């Protein structure tokens, strides 16, 4: 690995780097800790060199570790995806628990992931991906309302259906 590359291990390191190099994107300490935790839990690490952020796969041998250019918005996107996948698994697990103790533990895990999801959704909304999706949703809503006011309920329904399909294509 390049000597100039500095791993980010603490929330304050990530926050400081963002303040210096990505002034348009800020994180609280809780948000930074959450992102770093998900990366660590998936055996990745964030690292920086100057104004570039990278993802490092910790499962690779030291000689094979490749730096993958990975902007903060992509970090947020993949962490949201990981949370979603984990939430789906946790939901299935809690619904098939075999005893009360197992059920309680799985329910707590599910609730913790839901709490993470709430925080991650707020972070995601600040990314360029979130802004695009929100703008598209607003545009679709305005168009559907216009159709409804003109008496075109079928056209409004078609607009919403097409818009949902378009949003799903962009969803994480």
């Amino acid at each position: 690995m390049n000597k100039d590359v500095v791993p980010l291990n603490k929330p304050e390191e990530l926050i400081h780097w963002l303040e210096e190099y990505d002034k348009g994107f800020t994180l609280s300490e809780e948000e930074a800790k959450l992102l770093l935790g998900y990366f660590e839990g998936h055996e990745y690490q964030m690292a920086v060199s100057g104004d570039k952020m990278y993802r490092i796969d910790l499962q690779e041998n030291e000689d094979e570790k490749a730096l993958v250019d990975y902007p903060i918005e992509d970090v947020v996107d993949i962490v949201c995806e990981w949370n979603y996948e984990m939430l789906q698994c946790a939901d299935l697990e809690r619904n098939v628990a075999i005893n009360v103790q197992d059920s309680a533990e799985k329910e707590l895990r599910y609730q913790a992931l839901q709490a993470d999801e709430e925080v991650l959704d707020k972070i995601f909304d600040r990314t360029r991906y979130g802004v695009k999706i929100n703008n598209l949703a607003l545009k679709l809503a305005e168009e559907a309302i216009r159709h409804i006011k003109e008496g075109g309920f079928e056209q409004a329904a078609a607009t919403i259906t097409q818009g949902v399909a378009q949003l799903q294509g962009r969803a994480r």
Side-chain angles (χ1 to χ4, degrees):
M1 190 167 51
N2 188 327
K3 289 184 236 179
D4 296 336
V5 175
V6 178
L8 299 175
N9 298 311
K10 298 178 184 171
E12 52 274 5
E13 294 170 342
L14 175 55
I15 291 167
H16 175 71
W17 184 85
L18 288 170
E19 287 171 350
E20 189 166 335
Y21 293 105
D22 197 345
K23 295 178 182 5
F25 200 87
T26 60
L27 294 171
S28 69
E29 188 168 338
E30 175 194 11
E31 292 170 335
K33 183 177 180 182
L34 188 63
L35 294 176
L36 289 167
Y38 270 80
F39 251 60
E40 182 180 319
H42 284 80
E43 299 191 48
Y44 288 100
Q45 182 174 45
M46 284 183 245
V48 293
S49 179
D51 65 347
K52 291 279 190 190
M53 180 176 280
Y54 301 98
R55 181 191 73 190
I56 300 169
D57 186 340
L58 298 176
Q59 294 178 18
E60 294 178 344
N61 295 330
E62 194 62 39
D63 297 336
E64 297 174 358
K65 286 187 180 171
L67 296 176
V68 176
D69 192 7
Y70 221 73
I72 189 65
E73 291 182 327
D74 291 347
V75 168
V76 173
D77 189 49
I78 193 67
V79 169
C80 288
E81 188 174 314
W82 288 335
N83 171 265
Y84 177 79
E85 291 167 358
M86 293 167 66
L87 196 54
Q88 297 306 304
C89 289
D91 189 32
L92 287 173
E93 289 173 1
R94 77 185 177 135
N95 290 320
V96 296
I98 53 177
N99 60 47
V100 174
Q101 182 179 351
D102 189 42
S103 178
E105 289 171 8
K106 292 182 190 275
E107 181 64 30
L108 287 174
R109 173 77 174 133
Y110 180 78
Q111 289 174 4
L113 289 166
Q114 278 187 313
D116 288 354
E117 180 183 43
E118 287 181 29
V119 174
L120 291 168
D121 283 348
K122 290 176 184 170
I123 302 170
F124 183 82
D125 285 345
R126 299 192 312 257
T127 67
R128 69 179 177 274
Y129 309 123
V131 169
K132 282 182 183 178
I133 288 171
N134 287 334
N135 287 342
L136 179 59
L138 182 60
K139 179 182 167 198
L140 291 171
E142 289 170 348
E143 193 173 326
I145 290 168
R146 182 177 52 78
H147 288 302
I148 289 170
K149 285 180 179 178
E150 295 170 357
F153 293 104
E154 289 179 13
Q155 182 62 34
T159 297
I160 292 169
T161 301
Q162 291 169 356
V164 168
Q166 194 175 3
L167 285 172
Q168 286 176 335
R170 294 182 181 192
R172 8 186 166 101

